[in-house]
């Protein structure tokens, strides 16, 4: 029974990690954080599904642009603005002049001008992209891209080596390092979700899913010399936005 319950507890733990959805304490485990990578895309799809439900329901009562605005607000609330916080911290950090200063800025809980600009820009792009396509396709994209973007974060952290992680970030970042088995299973969930939901421009998804983590890794190592959890959250948020923007391309 314990063996059968473990995958469910791991799924619930991943939901608790990536969202504000209340999960009973008995259903959460912290004994295998690295294995959460298996369920990141599945949980992303669940969160995207909740956001898609908001679009569908709100569009019954409100104009489509208003429905999308309400959805973006709901999505941010459901996820606890988890990746938005990482995006803001990473963007603020890029204003630092050396690695030490960048890490110091990223650890600061306050949001600066770079972070504010990054968040506003991402949401403006998402809103413009989602209101530019058919509502039914928007629903498909929201679900699929929420899953794909979480998978980019898993791949990004899986590529990370111990020496590339600052000591203060080891406890949250290192569990995902080199966990290729979990990464492959996560890719399987991502593939199933994408094939089932059928979003826009599916051909671009593998290119972005693989390309963005590698490019982001090169950038952060060159700019900071390290990889942190904020870097991973930033990658997830930017990937999701890029996918929505590319969905509008002819």
């Amino acid at each position: 029974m314990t063996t059968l319950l473990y995958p469910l507890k791991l799924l619930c733990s991943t939901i608790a990690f990536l969202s504000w959805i209340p999960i009973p304490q008995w259903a959460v485990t912290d004994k295998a954080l690295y294995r959460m990578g298996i369920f990141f895309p599945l949980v992303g799809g669940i969160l995207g599904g909740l956001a898609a439900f908001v679009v569908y329901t709100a569009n019954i009562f409100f104009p489509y642009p208003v429905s999308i605005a309400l959805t973006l607000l709901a999505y941010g609330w459901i996820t606890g603005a988890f990746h938005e916080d990482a995006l803001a911290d990473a963007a603020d950090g890029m204003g630092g002049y050396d690695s030490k200063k960048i890490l110091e800025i990223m650890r600061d809980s306050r949001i600066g001008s770079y972070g504010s600009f990054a968040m506003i820009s991402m949401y403006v792009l998402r809103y413009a992209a989602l209101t530019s396509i058919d509502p039914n396709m928007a629903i498909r994209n929201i679900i699929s891209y929420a899953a794909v973007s979480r998978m980019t974060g898993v791949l990004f952290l899986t590529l990370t080596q111990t020496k590339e992680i600052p000591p203060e970030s080891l406890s949250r970042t290192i569990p995902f390092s080199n966990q290729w088995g979990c990464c492959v299973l996560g890719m399987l969930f991502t593939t199933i979700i994408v094939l089932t939901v059928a979003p826009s421009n599916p051909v671009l998804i593998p290119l972005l899913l693989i390309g963005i983590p590698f490019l982001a890794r090169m950038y952060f190592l060159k700019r900071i010399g390290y990889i942190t959890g904020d870097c991973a959250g930033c990658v997830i948020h930017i990937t999701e936005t890029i996918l929505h923007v590319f969905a509008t391309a002819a």
Side-chain angles (χ1 to χ4, degrees):
M1 181 62 70
T2 302
T3 303
L4 293 175
L5 282 176
Y6 180 73
L8 178 60
K9 293 185 72 172
L10 187 59
L11 174 61
C12 291
S13 300
T14 309
I15 293 172
F17 184 76
L18 291 176
S19 75
W20 273 359
I21 297 175
I23 300 295
Q25 189 60 41
W26 62 265
V28 176
T29 178
D30 59 358
K31 295 181 179 179
L33 178 62
Y34 70 93
R35 290 180 179 156
M36 286 185 184
I38 298 172
F39 291 116
F40 260 49
L42 179 58
V43 172
I46 292 171
L47 297 175
L50 293 174
F53 177 75
V54 175
V55 175
Y56 178 82
T57 305
N59 201 33
I60 298 174
F61 305 100
F62 303 104
Y64 182 54
V66 176
S67 301
I68 292 298
L70 291 172
T71 299
L72 292 176
L73 288 172
Y75 190 45
W77 183 83
I78 292 169
T79 60
F82 187 40
H83 304 310
E84 285 83 351
D85 179 67
L87 170 70
D89 287 342
D92 279 334
M94 294 308 101
Y97 49 82
D98 60 24
S99 176
K100 182 178 179 181
K101 186 63 176 178
I102 290 173
L103 290 173
E104 180 183 332
I105 293 172
M106 290 174 69
R107 287 193 292 267
D108 193 332
S109 60
R110 295 169 296 181
I111 297 177
S113 55
Y114 290 160
S116 299
F117 179 73
M119 285 197 295
I120 292 171
S121 298
M122 292 298 106
Y123 270 102
V124 167
L125 286 171
R126 285 195 196 186
Y127 178 81
L130 286 167
T131 54
S132 298
I133 60 177
D134 177 77
N136 290 328
M137 186 54 71
I139 287 174
R140 294 183 181 188
N141 289 352
I142 289 171
I143 297 172
S144 298
Y145 299 161
V148 173
S149 62
R150 267 68 180 187
M151 190 62 231
T152 61
V154 174
L155 179 56
F156 178 75
L157 290 177
T158 302
L159 291 166
T160 304
Q161 305 301 312
T162 305
K163 63 182 180 180
E164 298 167 351
I165 305 172
E168 64 272 16
S169 297
L170 280 174
S171 61
R172 292 178 65 84
T173 307
I174 192 58
F176 293 90
S177 178
N178 289 314
Q179 299 299 327
W180 288 103
C182 296
C183 187
V184 169
L185 289 174
M187 285 283 192
L188 178 61
F189 275 122
T190 305
T191 302
I192 292 171
I193 292 170
V194 170
L195 292 178
T196 302
V197 179
S200 304
N201 287 341
V203 176
L204 288 174
I205 290 178
L207 298 176
L208 295 173
L209 175 58
I210 296 173
I212 291 178
F214 278 93
L215 292 173
R217 170 182 163 77
M218 291 171 57
Y219 173 78
F220 284 119
L221 287 177
K222 181 178 180 180
R223 190 73 176 82
I224 313 174
Y226 290 110
I227 299 295
T228 70
D230 283 336
C231 296
C234 177
V235 167
I236 291 172
H237 200 285
I238 290 177
T239 300
E240 194 166 358
T241 301
I242 290 175
L243 285 165
H244 281 297
V245 171
F246 278 17
T248 65

